[in-house]
Amino acid sequence: DAKTTQPNSMESNEEEPVHLPCNHSTISGTDYIHWYRQLPSQGPEYVIHGLTSNVNNRMASLAIAEDRKSSTLILHRATLRDAAVYYCILSVGGSARQLTFGSGTQLTVLP
Amino acid sequence: DSGVTQTPKHLITATGQRVTLRCSPRSGDLSVYWYQQSLDQGLQFLIQYYNGEERAKGNILERFSAQQFPDLHSELNLSSLELGDSALYFCASSVGSGGYGDTQYFGPGTRLTVL
């Protein structure tokens, strides 16, 4: 199975941009890249997903490397509400059924 | 609020007992997924149903079973409970059957404590 590697933790200051990296060197051509986040005591929350091109939505941007072996989730202005565990997940073979959550990146936002 | 509802919010029971967790998907979603989150295993996919049919199976124990009803709500049944079954159980739903880019929306979870 294609795996992802993320830093265990990151810190950011409030109202500054945050770049959360993810390595997925064994990604194949049909694997989508998904990002979810889990706030304390809540269920995971969908953030964004993409295949090849960079993607933007109201929550974040996803920058995908040209070789697709890495990606970066960008929060443009971190708020205290963005403190969460962020998971980078590959949907293997195009199937988004069995999301495999790793250990994710714990993002701390400092006031 | 994702639109996915789960009941009960908390459940405390004893070893050897059986419990049922309930999930109502978002309006219009046909797939329901169940996940287990424990401290030592992280978030693990258990099983998926699409429009009443089982579609994918993950690390679900034989003591656990699930079904999806005609109104699309789903129930996860856990029997012969052990201490190690204590965990958060999340339900998620999606519009499609889990194909390309299908997004899963998660409920708030049921916290199960087995004493």
Side-chain angles (χ1 to χ4, degrees):
Chain A
D1 284 350
K3 289 185 179 175
T4 62
T5 305
Q6 300 177 251
N8 287 335
S9 61
M10 290 185 64
E11 271 187 6
S12 170
N13 293 319
E14 199 176 7
E15 297 190 4
E16 288 187 359
V18 183
H19 291 237
L20 296 162
C22 180
N23 287 319
H24 28 77
S25 58
T26 59
I27 193 170
S28 67
T30 55
D31 294 349
Y32 273 77
I33 302 158
H34 300 254
W35 283 83
Y36 281 77
R37 71 180 185 180
Q38 189 171 19
L39 280 64
S41 303
Q42 294 189 27
E45 176 186 26
Y46 167 78
V47 179
I48 201 166
H49 75 274
L51 184 61
T52 56
S53 307
N54 294 344
V55 184
N56 300 297
N57 67 21
R58 63 174 180 81
M59 285 183 72
S61 295
L62 176 59
I64 301 172
E66 202 168 325
D67 63 6
R68 301 212 322 128
K69 292 186 176 181
S70 66
S71 60
T72 302
L73 178 70
I74 303 165
L75 306 179
H76 296 285
R77 280 185 68 207
T79 69
L80 297 178
R81 272 205 75 250
D82 293 321
V85 179
Y86 286 79
Y87 298 97
C88 169
I89 301 164
L90 300 183
S91 57
V92 178
S95 167
R97 295 191 181 103
Q98 300 189 38
L99 296 181
T100 302
F101 288 79
S103 50
T105 297
Q106 173 70 62
L107 175 66
T108 301
V109 180
L110 303 172
Chain B
D1 184 355
S2 66
V4 178
T5 60
Q6 290 187 247
T7 56
K9 201 168 182 176
H10 301 279
L11 200 47
I12 300 174
T13 188
T15 54
Q17 295 298 305
R18 172 189 169 95
V19 297
T20 298
L21 312 184
R22 184 188 167 104
C23 169
S24 293
R26 295 185 323 155
S27 176
D29 283 1
L30 297 179
S31 275
V32 169
Y33 309 78
W34 286 98
Y35 289 82
Q36 178 193 57
Q37 186 172 34
S38 59
L39 281 174
D40 55 346
Q41 296 285 338
L43 256 164
Q44 292 211 316
F45 168 78
L46 296 178
I47 198 164
Q48 177 210 1
Y49 279 81
Y50 172 71
N51 207 20
E53 302 282 332
E54 181 185 305
R55 269 299 176 107
K57 212 165 185 176
N59 299 320
I60 187 166
L61 299 172
E62 282 194 17
R63 301 183 284 109
F64 295 1
S65 65
Q67 55 183 325
Q68 185 179 29
F69 294 87
D71 67 353
L72 301 177
H73 91 272
S74 177
E75 292 180 358
L76 179 66
N77 299 298
L78 315 175
S79 61
S80 303
L81 284 168
E82 302 175 359
L83 295 176
D85 298 327
S86 295
L88 270 166
Y89 291 84
F90 290 105
C91 166
S93 72
S94 71
V95 171
S97 61
Y100 286 94
D102 203 11
T103 299
Q104 295 184 28
Y105 295 89
F106 284 76
T110 293
R111 182 175 292 280
L112 174 66
T113 303
V114 183
L115 302 174

